[in-house]
Amino acid sequence: MIIGSGGQLGSELEDYLVSLYGREKIYSSDIKKNNSNGENFILLDALNKDDIYKTIKENNIKIVYHLAAILSAKGEANPIQTWNLNMNTLFNVLELAKEKVLSKVFWPSSIAVFGPSSPRNPAKQFSIMDPTTVYGISKLAGERWCEYYNKNYSTDIRSVRFPGIISYKSLPGGGTTDYAVDIFHSAMKKEKYSCFLKEDTYLPMLYIDDALMAMHKIMEEKKSNLSISSSYNLSAMSFSPKELFESIKKYKKNFDIKYNPDYRQKIADTWPESIDDSYARNDWGWKESFNLDKMTKEIILNLKS
Ligand code: SER
């Protein structure tokens, strides 16, 4: 079951898992119903412990991908609500894993766990972490709890620290890396894109197909091969708004951009420019298939058609 199936990751993960395992095996849930919900959709508030227990037990669900969260930029508008949602939905799932109702859980962490004192280029798996956003604080605390449950209660919670995820079918909401999705839609509409980050702000990024593959791959790996029981650094590419713009210009010659950095610049400035993900590569064979130009080509071609 996917929790947060209406989100950027969840909506695409649903199709991906259905294509691998068949419709009848995959449940999806979210706090809101939307048009794209398939069969096996369950309306669920993941903060409601009783509902989530009931749903999971009644449907004999064994594996959960818990993707519901409030992201970095949006989270700053309401820190306590963000903390409450990001942490307490996680605890509801962790407790089900502790009781062995669930056998396996995927929960995403983020590059937002790093902060101004972390090494920026690259950020190592184990480094100083002083996140400045409530989202980043909740992800770092979540990582510590995942490891705590794994070590003390023999649960099987698996996690990666996702960079900015770029997709074209589904939209992100409220993140600092969202510009890298929005920019494609402006390019297709022949609009001049107003970028909320400075042209030279490098951030680690990942194409959606690689994100789906990473989730599936870490979940399929033999548990004994996973040496990290909190969350794995993961990376594919790093680029700046200017580099992404130039990559799009190869297909959209008249596309134009202006830079109007806003409050999100301050968040981006605390995040690493690149990530050392050697643990993921060595332990479970992580390897991306998309770099910047391959991704740009794929997105432009798909949005065109
Ligand atoms: N994409 C997320 C954000 O910008 C980072 O995990 O908040």
Side-chain angles (χ1 to χ4, degrees):
M1 182 168 86
I2 299 162
I3 298 177
S5 65
Q8 183 197 14
L9 271 175
S11 55
E12 301 224 17
L13 182 65
E14 182 175 353
D15 292 342
Y16 183 74
L17 293 179
V18 166
S19 73
L20 291 173
Y21 299 107
R23 177 70 270 177
E24 67 289 353
K25 297 254 203 241
I26 310 299
Y27 286 77
S28 61
S29 72
D30 207 294
I31 195 163
K32 275 189 284 190
K33 200 169 167 43
N34 66 41
N35 294 338
S36 62
N37 293 137
E39 291 160 52
N40 289 351
F41 175 79
I42 298 165
L43 197 63
L44 186 68
D45 177 358
L47 278 171
N48 188 323
K49 198 173 172 178
D50 293 339
D51 272 5
I52 190 168
Y53 270 55
K54 214 171 124 227
T55 303
I56 285 174
K57 283 186 181 153
E58 271 176 6
N59 293 292
N60 198 25
I61 286 157
K62 292 289 164 213
I63 300 175
V64 158
Y65 288 76
H66 173 26
L67 309 179
I70 300 178
L71 296 186
S72 61
K74 193 169 171 207
E76 294 306 283
N78 204 334
I80 302 298
Q81 186 202 358
T82 302
W83 174 260
N84 180 35
L85 184 115
N86 291 2
M87 294 312 296
N88 289 324
T89 59
L90 175 61
F91 277 123
N92 288 343
V93 172
L94 290 178
E95 281 294 296
L96 281 161
K98 177 182 166 186
E99 289 174 24
K100 307 292 178 250
V101 175
L102 290 175
S103 60
K104 235 191 240 183
V105 172
F106 178 84
W107 172 82
S109 183
S110 160
I111 53 163
V113 294
F114 295 107
S117 311
S118 309
R120 295 200 74 203
N121 215 350
K124 301 252 185 224
Q125 177 70 37
F126 299 103
S127 40
I128 294 177
M129 292 163 117
D130 54 351
T132 57
T133 61
V134 66
Y135 172 70
I137 297 170
S138 72
K139 288 295 182 187
L140 182 53
E143 284 188 11
R144 303 320 312 146
W145 278 110
C146 288
E147 180 160 271
Y148 186 91
Y149 273 70
N150 282 340
K151 294 225 153 129
N152 291 302
Y153 307 128
S154 306
T155 54
D156 190 359
I157 325 289
R158 304 181 180 199
S159 177
V160 300
R161 292 172 180 153
F162 273 136
I165 292 170
I166 302 162
S167 53
Y168 64 91
K169 290 184 208 155
S170 57
L171 291 173
T176 303
T177 56
D178 293 7
Y179 89 86
V181 174
D182 301 341
I183 192 172
F184 282 98
H185 296 278
S186 281
M188 300 313 287
K189 288 190 238 156
K190 302 190 170 68
E191 288 168 0
K192 181 169 183 171
Y193 183 59
S194 173
C195 184
F196 59 74
L197 295 183
K198 288 193 223 154
E199 63 177 1
D200 57 352
T201 308
Y202 280 82
L203 286 172
M205 300 280 183
L206 181 68
Y207 184 53
I208 184 80
D209 288 19
D210 280 337
L212 300 174
M213 189 251 285
M215 285 189 272
H216 182 240
K217 199 163 170 52
I218 194 174
M219 287 295 267
E220 291 288 298
E221 187 59 54
K222 229 166 91 191
K223 193 180 175 191
S224 56
N225 288 342
L226 302 177
S227 65
I228 305 284
S229 46
S230 55
S231 188
Y232 278 88
N233 270 8
L234 193 84
S235 91
M237 52 185 137
S238 286
F239 56 76
S240 64
K242 185 161 186 257
E243 285 178 355
L244 178 56
F245 169 66
E246 275 160 7
S247 177
I248 296 173
K249 279 273 274 189
K250 290 178 194 158
Y251 302 90
K252 296 273 164 194
K253 302 270 177 282
N254 298 323
F255 186 39
D256 201 4
I257 190 167
K258 61 182 175 197
Y259 299 95
N260 289 320
D262 66 13
Y263 65 100
R264 288 167 278 195
Q265 183 66 46
K266 238 171 75 189
I267 299 176
D269 287 342
T270 69
W271 289 355
E273 294 189 336
S274 65
I275 301 285
D276 175 350
D277 61 356
S278 38
Y279 281 90
R281 289 180 195 265
N282 293 336
D283 286 6
W284 47 279
W286 158 247
K287 191 173 177 357
E288 75 284 0
S289 358
F290 283 84
N291 60 21
L292 173 56
D293 284 331
K294 187 173 169 194
M295 174 189 79
T296 301
K297 188 173 173 194
E298 162 109 353
I299 296 179
I300 301 268
L301 287 179
N302 277 293
L303 284 177
K304 248 188 201 157
S305 65

